[in-house]
Amino acid sequence: MGARDIVLESGDAIGLARIAIDLADIFQWLGDHRRAKEETDLASAMVGPLIGDDGITQGDVLQGVMASVRSIMAGKGDSGEAEKKAGLYRANTEITYYRGLIAKALGQWDEAERHFNRVLPEYRMLRCGEAIEFQLAQIDLNRGRHGEALRRAQSIAPVFERGDFRPKLGAFQKLQAERLRARIYSDTGDRVRALKSWREAIGTVAGLRRSPLGYRLDSTFPFTPWAIPPLPCG
């Protein structure tokens, strides 16, 4: 009996959704977008009836915490509302995020943008909105909206200097942002800035090579999907 079967027997809809979301994460990372979508749809079906049409926010999580506190103070023990609301909030937020990633990978720009814009306010409150801004910048770039893509890329650049992200993750995202800027400048014919951005990206790769990310395949992972193309010349 697998983990999903055990959770299914217990009737834990949030736990079942959690498993589906984790599987969706793995499948989308592997490029199996069909199975990733199936898992996100399953997760949504599990928590949808518990969330309703109005969705769930951090305010709802706070109300759940207060309900649990009141129950404890009344001598009735933890009502479980805090854990339930937090689990629903996390599941709903991540489902939306992964749907955005899947749509983006499939070139479905409208759908991807809709999902990312929907989840952006929540990620900003979690102090990691730059991750969503980066996804939106890539969508702008793929749509040929170079000015908007560049604006977004420049707006998220300071986060790598403030240390809000873990150093290793920040270095990898810094590489992504540098490549994004370089491609924008190349597409718009600004060879000087493109060359500068490519050089910065190469410097970041050198730093990553000396500071492993911790993945089992980190000797190749940072370089395969984000390989540095030939420098613009002329």
Side-chain angles (χ1 to χ4, degrees):
M1 180 179 293
R4 198 198 298 262
D5 297 319
I6 295 174
V7 176
L8 185 61
E9 283 191 353
S10 71
D12 182 2
I14 299 176
L16 186 60
R18 183 75 261 150
I19 294 174
I21 292 169
D22 289 343
L23 288 172
D25 182 22
I26 295 171
F27 287 138
Q28 68 84 23
W29 187 82
L30 292 173
D32 191 341
H33 305 302
R34 178 187 62 81
R35 294 175 72 182
K37 183 179 184 305
E38 290 176 354
E39 294 297 338
T40 55
D41 288 345
L42 175 60
S44 181
M46 291 295 102
V47 299
L50 301 176
I51 294 174
D53 296 334
D54 295 333
I56 186 168
T57 66
Q58 290 187 28
D60 296 315
V61 176
L62 179 59
Q63 290 180 9
V65 171
M66 297 305 297
S68 287
V69 170
R70 287 194 297 269
S71 179
I72 293 172
M73 295 297 292
K76 300 178 181 178
D78 188 354
S79 64
E81 279 300 301
E83 183 178 0
K84 177 182 177 181
K85 293 294 185 181
L88 288 173
Y89 172 78
R90 180 185 175 190
N92 187 56
T93 301
E94 291 186 10
I95 288 169
T96 306
Y97 170 71
Y98 284 119
R99 280 176 165 169
L101 282 184
I102 294 167
K104 174 171 163 282
L106 296 175
Q108 299 168 352
W109 311 128
D110 287 343
E111 183 175 354
E113 191 171 45
R114 177 170 60 84
H115 287 307
F116 286 135
N117 278 324
R118 179 182 172 189
V119 83
L120 179 58
E122 303 302 323
Y123 273 70
R124 280 176 173 163
M125 285 190 286
L126 293 170
R127 294 180 59 83
C128 54
E130 291 84 0
I132 305 301
E133 291 281 5
F134 179 79
Q135 299 295 338
L136 290 168
Q138 285 190 313
I139 293 173
D140 287 331
L141 182 59
N142 284 313
R143 283 177 152 174
R145 301 191 304 216
H146 299 102
E148 183 65 14
L150 181 58
R151 183 194 65 77
R152 288 186 187 275
Q154 291 174 333
S155 70
I156 64 176
V159 75
F160 304 113
E161 300 172 2
R162 295 199 308 265
D164 289 349
F165 288 94
R166 289 178 291 117
K168 293 179 180 179
L169 177 61
F172 187 53
Q173 291 180 324
K174 182 173 183 289
L175 169 61
Q176 295 174 323
E178 287 163 350
R179 291 185 68 256
L180 175 63
R181 288 197 303 268
R183 181 178 164 190
I184 294 169
Y185 288 136
S186 294
D187 289 350
T188 56
D190 192 337
R191 294 179 178 272
V192 174
R193 289 185 176 179
L195 179 60
K196 182 176 182 294
S197 293
W198 286 130
R199 291 189 187 281
E200 290 174 352
I202 290 172
T204 300
V205 168
L208 285 174
R209 190 184 298 276
R210 290 191 296 269
S211 304
L213 298 177
Y215 299 108
R216 293 182 61 186
L217 302 179
D218 69 5
S219 60
T220 58
F221 176 76
F223 311 108
T224 302
W226 301 103
I228 302 300
L231 292 173
C233 57

